[in-house]
Amino acid sequence: MSTSAHPSADAIRTGGTVTDRLVEANEHYAADFSNPGMDARPVLRVAVVACMDARLDLHAALGLELGDCHTIRNAGGVVTDDVIRSLTISQRALGTRSVMLVHHTNCGLESLTEDFRHELEDEVGQRPAWAVEAFRDVDQDVRQSMQRVRTSPFLLHSDDVRGFVFDVTTGLLREIDPA
């Protein structure tokens, strides 16, 4: 199966959707699937918070295998209340101790502003309860996210929190100094 987001020619001819193609791919996957015998506790005891950008193949980029980590993704990889919620469960219920934040170059949030929320409100008649969390400086946004993790009263482990910027053209990580 291709990693392309484009539906196959057969799916298009039969009126199938991308989701139909993904469900079919799952059927092929499940045919050879065997229970790996692991539980929900990540082997490396790390949670990775990253942007949802399709160019980031986190497992490949970080040398991770199935079961190694918890992966939490959203637009920008921003540490929001829901990310804190997931990290709290990851740490308190499932034993993670380290947090790795991965933002990236050329992020779509760099081209948005909070006006996006106002435009949505104008269009649908209701203002979203969430902030866009747009930013202009990816390094500063990583620092802000590290600070949000380190100061959360809900997290048990905030001593091993590190932030990085993934370069979408080279595939390399650049660590951000929290200062």
Side-chain angles (χ1 to χ4, degrees):
M1 179 175 134
S2 167
T3 58
S4 170
H6 301 289
S8 69
D10 289 339
I12 292 170
R13 272 194 297 273
T14 62
T17 66
V18 172
T19 302
D20 292 333
R21 185 174 69 90
L22 298 176
V23 170
E24 181 181 339
N26 173 257
E27 291 169 2
H28 293 288
Y29 171 79
D32 295 327
F33 184 79
S34 62
N35 182 345
M38 55 182 76
D39 67 21
R41 295 176 181 272
V43 173
L44 299 179
R45 297 173 61 168
V46 64
V48 179
V49 178
C51 185
M52 65 186 192
D53 192 292
R55 296 171 290 182
L56 276 66
D57 182 349
L58 286 175
H59 277 75
L62 302 176
L64 295 167
E65 299 292 331
L66 182 67
D68 281 349
C69 72
H70 284 159
T71 306
I72 304 162
R73 295 182 79 156
N74 67 18
V78 177
V79 175
T80 60
D81 286 345
D82 194 58
V83 168
I84 294 295
R85 172 189 156 275
S86 293
L87 287 173
T88 301
I89 293 166
S90 178
Q91 287 189 358
R92 290 181 176 265
L94 297 166
T96 60
R97 298 185 63 83
S98 300
V99 178
M100 182 177 190
L101 305 171
V102 182
H103 295 208
H104 65 91
T105 58
N106 196 27
C107 183
L109 283 186
E110 292 174 308
S111 63
L112 291 177
T113 67
E114 290 298 319
D115 287 341
F116 182 80
R117 288 177 68 227
H118 303 295
E119 293 163 5
L120 278 173
E121 180 180 14
D122 290 344
E123 180 182 329
V124 303
Q126 180 178 341
R127 179 177 289 170
W130 39 263
V132 175
E133 297 275 358
F135 56 87
R136 296 281 178 252
D137 181 339
V138 68
D139 291 15
Q140 183 55 36
D141 198 61
V142 171
R143 284 186 198 94
Q144 175 178 292
S145 288
M146 284 190 285
Q147 185 65 17
R148 286 178 177 175
V149 171
R150 287 189 172 126
T151 60
S152 173
F154 305 109
L155 299 175
L156 294 172
H157 308 288
S158 58
D159 54 321
D160 188 12
V161 178
R162 295 172 62 187
F164 300 84
V165 174
F166 176 87
D167 188 313
V168 297
T169 60
T170 67
L172 290 172
L173 289 174
R174 178 173 51 83
E175 188 158 9
I176 302 302
D177 183 8

